[in-house]
Amino acid sequence: ALAHREDHEADIANYADRPLDQLDPVEVAVLLVGLEELKHHPEVPFRVVINEAVAVARRYGAEEGHKYVNAILDAAAARYRKPEKAIARR
């Protein structure tokens, strides 16, 4: 279990366009892990977090679910990794 699960679920609810219980369980799990890494493991580059999450969602999630994972984690990265993301845009 993730120590910050409730915080991450609140983030998902903030970025998602539907309630958490309507999301595919695989995508929810991938998003929880991705948010944990984005928020609490700055040693992992945000692009690596997003790429790995998208790869897992593509392989095990619902059809096109990887696009949803990408959009939510990209929005979260803009918030939690703002300086790193600004450097990456250059």
Side-chain angles (χ1 to χ4, degrees):
L2 293 169
H4 307 102
R5 183 182 181 124
E6 288 181 9
D7 292 338
H8 301 328
E9 287 178 350
D11 279 339
I12 294 169
N14 184 44
Y15 296 118
D17 62 353
R18 63 194 82 140
L20 194 67
D21 63 348
Q22 291 181 11
L23 299 177
D24 181 83
V26 171
E27 274 95 37
V28 172
V30 169
L31 288 168
L32 291 171
V33 173
L35 286 164
E36 177 71 18
E37 290 180 332
L38 285 174
K39 292 172 78 173
H40 302 288
H41 295 278
E43 70 279 7
V44 181
F46 81 92
R47 285 185 174 160
V48 172
V49 171
I50 294 172
N51 288 342
E52 291 298 317
V54 167
V56 171
R58 180 176 274 137
R59 180 161 182 162
Y60 298 107
E63 188 174 331
E64 304 297 319
H66 65 282
K67 294 177 183 178
Y68 200 73
V69 167
N70 183 61
I72 290 176
L73 291 180
D74 190 55
R79 177 176 178 191
Y80 295 114
R81 300 284 188 96
K82 196 172 198 171
E84 183 183 353
K85 226 173 160 197
I87 292 169
R89 281 190 217 137
R90 293 182 189 168

